[in-house]
Amino acid sequence: MSSDAGQVRLAFYLMKGTGVPSKLLPIIKAHYQALCFETGLMFPLHSLRALYISGVCLAGVSPEIGKLKKLRELCIENCDLEQLPPDIGQLKRLKVCWLRWNNLHQLPATIGRLTQLTELQLDDNRLRALPARLNRLQKLKILYAKYNQLTELPKEITQLRGLQELNLSYNHINALPLDWQTLTQLKKLHLYNNNLSNLPDSIGYLARLKILRVQNNVLRGVPASLGKLQQLEELSIQNNQIQQLPASLGHLPSLKRLNVNDNLLTYLPDSFQNLVNLEHLYLRGNQLSKKNRETIQGWFPHISIHF
C-alpha cells in the first residue's frame, strides 16, 4: 500500500469519528464507495439508490450498511467477500442484490427480511446451504446460485410463489424437495451438473415451465408427469443414465429442443412422432439400432437429427 493510500484510509477512519466535511461528500460518493464499506463510513452513501462495487478486496461489510435505507440495487462482485452482516436485512427497499464471485460460506437468515427483493444472484461462492427464510421473499423472480457447494435445498425454497427463474447448476445437490407445484410462475429451471438420481413427480405440475435443464447428473429416468408440461420448449437431459423415456413426453405440444445425448436409450416411444413442433433432436451416445434410427428419421423428415 502506498503512503498516499494509507493516509486516505486513515482519513476515512478519522472522519468516521468526527464527521464528513460537506464539500467532500460528492467526491466520496463518486470515487470511494469501496473504502466507505471497508471503514464503515456509510454517511456519504445514505442517499444512494444503487451501489456497485467490483474488483476490490472486501473481507467483510460493515454493519453500517443497514443505514442505506434508500438502496434499491446492491452489487458487490469479485471482492473476496467472506460474510455479510445481519444488518443487511434492514435494506427494506432493496430489489436487486448481486453477490457473485466472492467467498461467501453462508447467508444471514435476515436476508429473509428483504421482502421487496426481485433478483438475488449468488453465483461462484462457497455456499453450503441456503437459509430456509428465503421463503419470505415472495416477490423474488430470479434466484441464481450456480458454482457453489450446495448438497441439498431447504424445502422452503419451493414456497417462492413469484419465482420465474431458478438456476442451481454446478453444485453437489443429490436430492430435491418433493413439492414443487407451488412454483406456479416458474419458467426456467436449471439443475445441471449436480448429483441428482431422480426428479420429483411434482415438477410435472409447473404449468408455465418453458426450459428444464438437468443434464450431467446421474438420473436413471424422468417422471411421466413431465408430459403435463404443455408450455415446455426445451428439455435437456443429456449425459445421465436413462434407459428409457416415458411415452407421455410425446405429448408436449410446445417442445422445440430435446437433447438426450449420452444416455442408455435403445428406442424412443412411438408417441414421440407427435412432437410436431420439434426443431432440434439430439440422440448421440445412445444404443439405438439402425432400424430405430431409420424409424425416427421417418417421423421427423424435415429436421436435422443428431445420432
Side-chain angles (χ1 to χ4, degrees), residues 28-29 32-34 36-38 40-53 61-76 85 87-96 114:
I28 292 174
K29 183 187 295 187
Y32 292 100
Q33 294 176 353
C36 287
F37 265 68
E38 179 182 336
L41 182 70
M42 294 293 185
F43 174 73
L45 309 181
H46 281 186
S47 63
L48 285 184
R49 292 174 179 261
L51 179 57
Y52 299 88
I53 299 175
V61 173
S62 169
E64 299 292 322
I65 191 177
K67 295 182 179 180
L68 306 185
K69 303 296 185 182
K70 296 184 179 181
L71 206 60
R72 286 168 170 76
E73 298 181 14
L74 174 63
C75 173
I76 306 176
D87 307 77
I88 196 172
Q90 298 178 30
L91 303 179
K92 302 296 186 181
R93 298 185 181 183
L94 199 65
K95 292 187 176 183
V96 175
L114 304 178

Side-chain angles (χ1 to χ4, degrees), residues 189 199-206 209 212 214 219 221-232 234-237 242 245-253 255 258:
L189 178 57
L199 299 176
D201 288 342
S202 57
I203 287 181
Y205 296 92
L206 301 177
L209 197 66
L212 176 58
V214 287
L219 297 175
V222 295
S225 62
L226 295 189
K228 299 179 183 292
L229 299 175
Q230 297 296 288
Q231 295 191 32
L232 193 68
E234 178 183 337
L235 177 59
S236 295
I237 51 178
I242 300 171
L245 295 172
S248 60
L249 296 187
H251 303 292
L252 296 173
L255 195 65
L258 175 60

Side-chain angles (χ1 to χ4, degrees), residues 113-131:
R113 298 177 185 173
L114 304 178
T115 55
Q116 299 303 307
L117 206 62
T118 62
E119 182 174 344
L120 179 58
Q121 301 236 9
L122 304 166
D123 295 345
D124 291 271
N125 278 282
R126 299 183 181 181
L127 297 172
R128 295 183 179 276
L130 296 175

Side-chain angles (χ1 to χ4, degrees), residues 1-156:
M1 180 190 302
S2 70
S3 59
D4 288 346
Q7 291 175 8
V8 170
R9 185 168 279 100
L10 175 60
F12 268 65
Y13 278 106
L14 291 174
M15 285 189 291
K16 184 179 179 182
T18 61
V20 181
S22 57
K23 65 181 180 180
L24 291 183
L25 283 175
I27 299 174
I28 292 174
K29 183 187 295 187
H31 301 291
Y32 292 100
Q33 294 176 353
L35 198 51
C36 287
F37 265 68
E38 179 182 336
T39 61
L41 182 70
M42 294 293 185
F43 174 73
L45 309 181
H46 281 186
S47 63
L48 285 184
R49 292 174 179 261
L51 179 57
Y52 299 88
I53 299 175
S54 178
V56 297
C57 184
L58 283 177
V61 173
S62 169
E64 299 292 322
I65 191 177
K67 295 182 179 180
L68 306 185
K69 303 296 185 182
K70 296 184 179 181
L71 206 60
R72 286 168 170 76
E73 298 181 14
L74 174 63
C75 173
I76 306 176
E77 296 186 326
N78 194 26
C79 291
D80 295 323
L81 186 65
E82 296 181 359
Q83 60 182 351
L84 292 171
D87 307 77
I88 196 172
Q90 298 178 30
L91 303 179
K92 302 296 186 181
R93 298 185 181 183
L94 199 65
K95 292 187 176 183
V96 175
C97 184
W98 291 6
L99 300 168
R100 301 177 297 186
W101 308 310
N102 285 296
N103 292 316
L104 294 171
H105 288 78
Q106 62 181 4
L107 298 176
T110 53
I111 203 164
R113 298 177 185 173
L114 304 178
T115 55
Q116 299 303 307
L117 206 62
T118 62
E119 182 174 344
L120 179 58
Q121 301 236 9
L122 304 166
D123 295 345
D124 291 271
N125 278 282
R126 299 183 181 181
L127 297 172
R128 295 183 179 276
L130 296 175
R133 291 188 181 180
L134 281 180
N135 68 336
R136 298 183 180 183
L137 306 181
Q138 290 298 306
K139 293 187 178 181
L140 196 66
K141 295 180 180 180
I142 297 174
L143 174 57
Y144 278 27
K146 304 192 306 291
Y147 291 102
N148 276 282
Q149 299 174 16
L150 304 175
T151 57
E152 59 182 7
L153 302 176
K155 62 181 181 180
E156 289 82 1

